[in-house]
């Protein structure tokens, strides 16, 4: 279903990529809960192959060995404790569910819970799956067994994605094993799933699996008969045979054009300008907002995997990144997901990053904890974009303006924009090479407001800029292009 089952007043999720369960539990209690985040997408919790060449890449998590809940993020009791504590803090947990495939087709050995497997024999005894549970030459039409042509939906669904052993979800046995795994997670209190590689499964097979799922657990605070949230990862840039809309019946679909196009707009490439995003979303040919998930970057395209290309914005271009996040969180389109990354050294050769495999901060393969400095930023290599004041304050902004429409659009025909959300919030962005200086309608009641980009409201004062809305609802704005963050955001809860 499309509803994320957030607790009241919360409207965004964050992907805590590769975090350990013990750290996520702490983060729910000390930061996400108090700051109005609705949920966390967590890395795959099921047992995966241990890859040593390259050494423990992030992508080993995308090679399942079994559905035992043991990975470098933690074990089953840690996972269970995390879900319980996050729910108690008002924060939901969404599991990245890898149900399209198992490991790469030539690996063997033991997984992260010690379960043995042998891909060349199509054998995963800890599930168990055997040779007849996978697609093969009778169902996949290519000689190589891999997807060769994305314009052929049969290849995309029945052949191997990058050599990953492709489960046959047409079989009831396979459907049941997958549903059992997801139901176990529902029993532990998760609120839904990001379904990996959905494009590579038939929508009807997916539906058959989802139909087997239990209602969410009332014990963990969900309303009676609530259904698990579903967001299907389908990369659809509009140029292939398979479209995301085929999957709307099952749940939301990732809208990859959102971050890709916005990257071009903020970088001012391909003749794009901020003034063009007045009708961003459906007006730009994207999915209906109530069926899609919007994000600026994800764990794939921040390192050149997946789709989106070189214009994707990430923490590496922090100034533009914060502006794009602010726009997304202020704009009334789709369900929004914020990325939270770890740092790695890039090694660019011929346009691609030779270090795109590097796993989370670790010592000998053991993931390092997320440490928190007194100023609220993170250590040990964790970027924690979601803790950047400009981003977390806009997560709050989105909660405050929920239910209002976009009004008072203003632009300078180039790269300066402003708009209101009803009488609840107002955002102005200057992405020009010169100052913004104008009197603009905000729709807000007259008074003094704390700009939540440059500071926080603390008691009745503001640690950043104070913005005055005059009796007629307008502001006299001047935003220099050389400011650290050339934008201003005010909302009803930041009135002084
Ligand atoms: C690893 C190794 C491989 C090895 C394999 C098996 O890297 O060399 O063969 O193990 O041993 C992640 C990593 C993979 C990794 C895998 C398993 O990214 O490198 O493979 O774990 O460890 C497609 C899928 C999409 C997928 C994306 C990466 O459709 O579902 O590839 N994303 C998810 C996860 C991802 C994960 C997996 C799936 C697998 O988020 O982290 O992989 O569980 C086109 C298609 C897209 C396709 C891309 C890339 O996109 O449309 O569907 O995504 O190609 O293959 C322009 C085009 C655009 C095109 C794009 C890229 O933008 O307009 O359409 O270029 O060409």
């Amino acid at each position: 279903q499309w509803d994320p089952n957030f607790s009241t007043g919360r409207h965004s999720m964050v992907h805590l990529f590769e975090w350990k369960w013990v750290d996520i539990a702490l983060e729910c209690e000390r930061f996400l809960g108090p700051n109005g985040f609705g949920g966390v997408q967590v890395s795959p919790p099921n047992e995966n192959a241990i890859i040593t060449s390259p050494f423990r890449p992030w992508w080993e998590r995308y090679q399942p060995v079994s559905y035992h809940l043991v990975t470098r993020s933690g074990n089953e009791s840690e996972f269970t404790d995390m879900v319980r504590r996050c729910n108690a803090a008002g924060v939901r947990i969404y599991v990245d569910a890898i149900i399209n495939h198992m490991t790469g087709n030539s690996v063997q050995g033991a997984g992260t819970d010690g379960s043995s497997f042998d891909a060349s024999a199509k054998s995963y005894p800890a599930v168990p799956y055997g040779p007849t549970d996978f697609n093969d030459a009778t169902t996949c039409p290519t000689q190589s067994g891999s997807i060769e042509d994305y314009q052929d939906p049969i290849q995309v669904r029945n052949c191997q994605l990058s050599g990953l052993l492709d489960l046959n979800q047409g079989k009831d046995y396979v459907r049941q094993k997958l549903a059992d795994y997801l139901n176990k997670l529902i029993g532990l209190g998760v609120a839904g799933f990001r379904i990996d590689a959905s494009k590579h499964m038939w929508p009807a097979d997916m539906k058959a699996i989802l139909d087997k799922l239990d209602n969410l657990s009332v014990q963990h605070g969900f309303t009676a008969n609530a259904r698990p949230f579903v967001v299907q990862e389908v990369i659809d840039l509009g140029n292939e045979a398979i479209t995301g809309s085929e999957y709307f019946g099952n749940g939301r679909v990732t809208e990859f054009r959102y971050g890709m196009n916005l990257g071009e707009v903020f970088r001012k490439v391909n003749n794009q300008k901020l003034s063009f995003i007045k009708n961003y979303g459906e007006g730009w040919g994207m999915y209906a907002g109530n069926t899609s998930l919007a994000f600026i970057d994800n764990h794939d395209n921040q390192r050149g995997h997946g789709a989106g290309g070189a214009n994707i914005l990430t923490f590496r271009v922090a100034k533009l990144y914060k502006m794009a996040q602010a726009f997304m969180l202020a704009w009334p389109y789709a369900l929004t997901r914020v990325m939270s990354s770890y740092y790695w050294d890039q090694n660019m050769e011929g346009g691609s990053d030779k270090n795109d495999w590097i796993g989370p901060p670790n010592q000998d393969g053991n993931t390092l904890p997320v440490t928190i400095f007194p100023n609220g930023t993170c250590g040990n290599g964790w970027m924690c974009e979601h803790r950047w004041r400009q981003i977390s304050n806009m997560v709050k902004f989105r909660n405050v303006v929920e239910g209002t429409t976009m009004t008072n659009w203003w632009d300078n025909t180039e790269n300066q924009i402003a708009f209101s959300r009803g009488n609840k919030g107002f955002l102005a962005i200057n992405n020009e090479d010169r100052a913004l200086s104008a009197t603009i309608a905000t729709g807000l009641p007259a008074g003094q407001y704390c700009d939540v980009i440059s500071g926080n409201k603390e008691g009745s004062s503001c640690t950043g800029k104070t913005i005055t809305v005059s009796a007629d609802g307008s502001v006299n704005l001047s935003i220099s292009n050389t400011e650290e963050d050339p934008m201003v955001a005010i909302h009803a809860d930041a009135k002084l």
Side-chain angles (χ1 to χ4, degrees):
Q1 71 155 18
W2 303 344
D3 181 343
N5 305 297
F6 286 145
S7 63
T8 315
R10 297 171 188 260
H11 299 282
S12 301
M13 64 174 76
V14 56
H15 181 193
L16 297 181
F17 180 50
E18 284 276 13
W19 281 45
K20 294 200 286 187
W21 310 148
V22 291
D23 284 329
I24 294 178
L26 289 168
E27 192 69 351
C28 284
E29 294 168 344
R30 70 191 166 198
F31 189 84
L32 301 174
N35 286 289
F37 283 76
V40 182
Q41 178 185 315
V42 302
S43 281
N46 64 292
E47 179 174 21
N48 60 264
I50 296 173
I51 308 279
T52 50
S53 174
F55 182 69
R56 309 302 305 268
W58 62 269
W59 46 254
E60 70 171 44
R61 305 285 298 262
Y62 293 85
Q63 301 202 16
V65 165
S66 80
Y67 304 118
H68 300 174
L69 302 183
V70 180
T71 61
R72 64 183 167 209
S73 282
N75 60 28
E76 179 165 338
S77 69
E78 289 162 333
F79 183 87
T80 304
D81 184 57
M82 167 189 74
V83 179
R84 185 185 54 76
R85 287 164 62 190
C86 287
N87 276 325
V91 181
R92 304 312 191 190
I93 297 293
Y94 306 96
V95 162
D96 194 349
I98 319 303
I99 62 173
N100 172 64
H101 52 261
M102 298 300 278
T103 65
N105 56 24
S106 59
V107 256
Q108 59 179 56
T112 47
D113 190 33
S115 306
S116 64
F117 68 99
D118 182 356
S120 50
K122 299 187 176 177
S123 169
Y124 297 87
V127 180
Y129 288 136
T132 59
D133 297 319
F134 295 88
N135 282 307
D136 58 23
T138 63
T139 47
C140 159
T142 67
Q143 200 75 52
S144 64
S146 281
I147 300 165
E148 293 171 2
D149 179 6
Y150 269 92
Q151 299 302 342
D152 176 1
I154 297 176
Q155 287 190 28
V156 177
R157 268 80 176 245
N158 292 355
C159 300
Q160 294 174 3
L161 163 64
S162 338
L164 297 158
L165 271 194
D166 199 56
L167 286 165
N168 180 355
Q169 291 85 4
K171 280 189 71 174
D172 194 59
Y173 176 80
V174 172
R175 290 175 179 176
Q176 195 58 52
K177 285 292 171 195
L178 296 173
D180 289 348
Y181 166 49
L182 303 181
N183 277 332
K184 174 173 182 169
L185 296 167
I186 289 171
L188 296 178
V190 312
F193 307 99
R194 170 217 184 241
I195 303 189
D196 184 69
S198 293
K199 188 202 258 184
H200 305 280
M201 295 179 271
W202 296 97
D205 288 346
M206 184 94 83
K207 179 174 188 314
I209 295 163
L210 296 175
D211 284 349
K212 291 177 186 283
L213 298 189
D214 299 334
N215 291 335
L216 297 184
S217 159
V218 182
Q219 238 170 293
H220 287 91
F222 296 99
T223 51
N225 305 318
R227 297 296 296 159
F229 169 69
V230 168
V231 58
Q232 299 155 99
E233 189 232 4
V234 178
I235 296 176
D236 167 17
L237 305 179
N239 53 4
E240 285 176 20
I242 294 171
T243 63
S245 59
E246 295 172 47
Y247 293 83
F248 290 162
N250 294 330
R252 286 188 188 248
V253 173
T254 49
E255 179 49 277
F256 276 85
R257 289 168 291 197
Y258 193 93
M260 187 184 73
N261 291 332
L262 214 52
E264 294 187 356
V265 168
F266 278 92
R267 288 180 191 268
K268 301 187 246 187
V269 297
N270 295 337
N271 301 314
Q272 293 292 9
K273 297 174 181 180
L274 248 65
S275 58
F276 294 165
I277 60 178
K278 185 177 185 170
N279 60 348
Y280 207 63
E282 291 95 345
W284 274 52
M286 295 177 208
Y287 307 140
N290 62 342
T291 61
S292 58
L293 179 76
F295 47 95
I296 303 299
D297 60 332
N298 81 345
H299 73 281
D300 281 334
N301 62 22
Q302 67 170 205
R303 46 177 52 73
H305 287 231
N311 291 323
I312 292 292
L313 299 171
T314 72
F315 65 82
R316 292 179 197 274
V317 283
K319 187 171 178 178
L320 294 181
Y321 190 64
K322 287 178 280 181
M323 287 195 264
Q325 291 281 3
F327 173 79
M328 176 181 84
L329 292 166
W331 193 248
Y333 172 80
L335 175 64
T336 45
R337 181 180 66 195
V338 169
M339 180 69 199
S340 190
S341 320
Y342 57 80
Y343 180 81
W344 78 99
D345 278 321
Q346 284 183 317
N347 177 15
M348 299 301 290
E349 270 178 40
S352 67
D353 176 12
K354 297 291 168 217
N355 285 347
D356 67 345
W357 57 270
I358 290 181
N362 71 89
Q363 192 157 29
D364 306 324
N366 297 310
T367 303
L368 292 179
V370 178
T371 49
I372 311 290
F373 293 120
N375 71 358
T377 62
C378 297
N380 270 348
W382 300 95
M383 291 307 303
C384 291
E385 297 93 312
H386 68 285
R387 278 178 167 255
W388 296 2
R389 181 190 61 242
Q390 300 85 341
I391 295 177
S392 72
N393 278 351
M394 290 307 293
V395 165
K396 236 178 277 171
F397 179 110
R398 192 170 190 79
N399 294 341
V400 172
V401 304
E402 170 63 19
T404 66
T405 55
M406 194 279 290
T407 48
N408 294 313
W409 176 270
W410 173 91
D411 65 60
N412 72 338
T413 76
E414 294 287 330
N415 293 294
Q416 299 177 338
I417 61 167
F419 60 90
S420 316
R421 290 293 304 274
N423 59 0
K424 294 273 184 64
F426 170 80
L427 174 71
I429 303 180
N430 177 16
N431 195 29
E432 210 77 79
D433 300 329
R434 57 192 143 86
L436 180 159
S437 176
T439 300
I440 304 173
T442 69
L444 292 174
Q448 304 233 298
Y449 293 81
C450 182
D451 165 35
V452 298
I453 298 294
S454 58
N456 292 309
K457 183 185 163 198
E458 280 174 11
S460 56
S461 62
C462 177
T463 61
K465 293 182 199 169
T466 296
I467 304 290
T468 304
V469 173
S470 57
D472 68 357
S474 68
V475 278
N476 204 330
L477 269 189
S478 87
I479 307 176
S480 163
N481 55 309
T482 61
E483 289 177 31
E484 183 186 350
D485 300 300
M487 52 181 174
V488 160
I490 56 178
H491 60 68
D493 279 7
K495 195 159 190 281
L496 297 170

